Amino acid sequence: ANMPLETCSAFCGWAAAVAACLAFGSFGVPIKGSRATRVDIDPLVMQSYKTLMCFATCWVVLLLGEELTFTPWGIVSGMFWVPAGTAAIFAIRNAGLAVSQGIWSALIVLVSFCWGIFIFDEAVASRYVATLSILLMVIGLFGMSHYSVPDEQQLEYMSASAFDESESMGNEEDSSFHDEGVIDDSIEMEKSELNTASATDGAGFTPLAGSSDSSVVSRERRIGHGVHVPGCNCSRRRLGLACAAFNGLWGGSIMVPMHYSSGNTTGLGYAVSFAIGASIVLLAMWVCRYLYYVGRTGSFTRAVGCLPSFHLRVMWLPGGIAGGLWSFGNVCSMLSVQGLGE
């Protein structure tokens, strides 16, 4: 017997596409919200909330009649999504929601179109008209991003205001974190030792925005006058814009592995495989980050103390909302790709 969703017309695919746009366009709001700003949430921590919500909600497809199946292609999708999603969070936190969404939306549209038309040879009425339409859409999205960028004076004012708000609420929040044992005093001491050692070892190690080490970041650096990454020194905003572009270019292929899946692991049946694959990739990224800190500190114990806090008391709600919205958009995008193509 056909599943109810298999008998759905093309209208369902369009409706799912619209719903996916609304969800994907809204998931970043909690990431930019006051709670995330107050604790300066780490991008990988926020991505963990999103992935956990994706895993927790993927089982709903079983209630819709889908069989419990798994394909390794879900891991490939996770390899696209988790790094791209982490970069997207950094972009939202440092370059802004509007400009970041515009950049990665334009690139995702372009990447998905190239996969669908030139790789999978999906049927369209006119390839030339479709290509022209996509290019015009991409130009429009880039234009929106360009004119969403405030001038330098506005940037400094907004950054300074955000810092002042964070500072004014910091004592109350810090005391609650210590009370519940989220940030232990000994861990903070080890982080300070790590930062001091790193500042004098000539390696130029500087925690990125959102790191739990950000308590030692000066006001001037919060205003955006540089962050050091291997090979370059650039402003946080520029790095955020680069992360937005990475999310579009790399994350635009998230649903591509589903095309190579077969049987009951396509469409909604792919949701479980995707969630499991994303969880595996997320765990691997945490292991890599831990091993990086092991290399920096020379100690397995001190490396644990350098990992960022999840700030559960503050972030469980915005993290859950962001993850829930993204998961809903992901399921809708699966239905849309299944019904309309990439």
Side-chain angles (χ1 to χ4, degrees):
N2 288 334
M3 299 296 177
L5 292 171
E6 290 179 351
T7 62
C8 196
S9 65
F11 173 78
C12 296
W14 285 108
V18 172
C21 289
L22 292 174
F24 284 146
S26 303
F27 85 92
V29 175
I31 298 173
K32 191 67 175 178
S34 59
R35 293 193 179 191
T37 300
R38 206 156 64 221
V39 300
D40 202 11
I41 193 68
D42 184 270
L44 189 57
V45 169
M46 197 67 185
Q47 179 62 32
S48 299
Y49 280 110
K50 288 170 55 186
T51 305
L52 290 172
M53 280 299 297
C54 182
F55 184 82
T57 57
C58 73
W59 311 102
V60 174
V61 301
L62 302 181
L63 302 178
L64 300 176
E66 297 292 336
E67 296 181 10
L68 179 59
T69 55
F70 176 77
T71 172
W73 286 111
I75 301 177
V76 180
S77 286
M79 293 173 67
F80 283 113
W81 177 49
V82 177
T86 305
I89 295 166
F90 185 91
I92 292 172
R93 299 288 303 143
N94 291 275
L97 179 58
V99 63
S100 298
Q101 281 275 11
I103 290 174
W104 73 56
S105 295
L107 293 174
I108 285 174
V109 167
L110 186 60
V111 170
S112 298
F113 178 80
C114 291
W115 275 105
I117 299 299
F118 302 114
I119 305 299
F120 300 129
D121 199 25
E122 295 172 349
V124 292
S126 171
R127 180 170 293 190
Y128 298 107
V129 174
T131 302
L132 178 61
S133 300
I134 290 297
L135 289 177
L136 290 174
M137 184 184 301
V138 168
I139 292 171
L141 288 169
F142 272 121
M144 181 195 73
S145 298
H146 174 75
Y147 289 104
S148 296
V149 178
D151 58 35
E152 292 297 325
Q153 185 176 2
Q154 289 175 310
L155 281 174
E156 289 199 8
Y157 174 78
M158 290 187 296
S159 299
S161 298
F163 177 82
D164 291 338
E165 178 184 356
S166 177
E167 287 293 293
S168 66
M169 305 175 105
N171 292 335
E172 178 184 351
E173 292 299 329
D174 288 342
S175 62
S176 65
F177 294 150
H178 282 280
D179 290 342
E180 68 179 319
V182 177
I183 302 178
D184 185 79
D185 288 337
S186 62
I187 291 178
E188 290 299 312
M189 291 177 62
E190 289 174 345
K191 290 174 185 174
S192 298
E193 292 172 3
L194 171 62
N195 291 331
T196 302
S198 300
T200 58
D201 66 1
F205 171 72
T206 303
L208 295 180
S211 164
S212 59
D213 293 324
S214 62
S215 59
V216 300
V217 178
S218 66
R219 178 188 178 94
E220 288 73 20
R221 287 186 51 227
R222 282 180 178 268
I223 292 178
H225 296 295
V227 57
H228 179 79
V229 293
C232 71
N233 285 285
C234 59
S235 71
R236 292 178 182 276
R237 182 174 182 78
R238 288 184 179 179
L239 187 57
L241 294 174
C243 285
F246 173 77
N247 180 40
L249 292 171
W250 186 254
S253 302
I254 289 173
M255 289 294 108
V256 170
M258 189 176 74
H259 282 268
Y260 297 101
S261 185
S262 60
N264 295 327
T265 57
T266 59
L268 280 184
Y270 192 71
V272 174
S273 298
F274 179 91
I276 294 175
S279 300
I280 293 173
V281 175
L282 176 70
L283 179 61
M285 288 185 65
W286 275 110
V287 170
C288 289
R289 185 165 183 173
Y290 171 70
L291 292 177
Y292 170 77
Y293 284 137
V294 169
R296 296 296 299 166
T297 62
S299 168
F300 289 98
T301 303
R302 292 178 65 193
V304 173
C306 292
L307 294 175
S309 169
F310 272 67
H311 302 295
L312 286 173
R313 176 179 290 185
V314 177
M315 290 304 301
W316 70 269
L317 182 59
I321 292 174
L325 285 171
W326 196 95
S327 298
F328 177 73
N330 187 47
V331 169
C332 290
S333 68
M334 291 178 185
L335 288 174
S336 177
V337 169
Q338 184 182 33
L340 303 177
E342 188 73 29

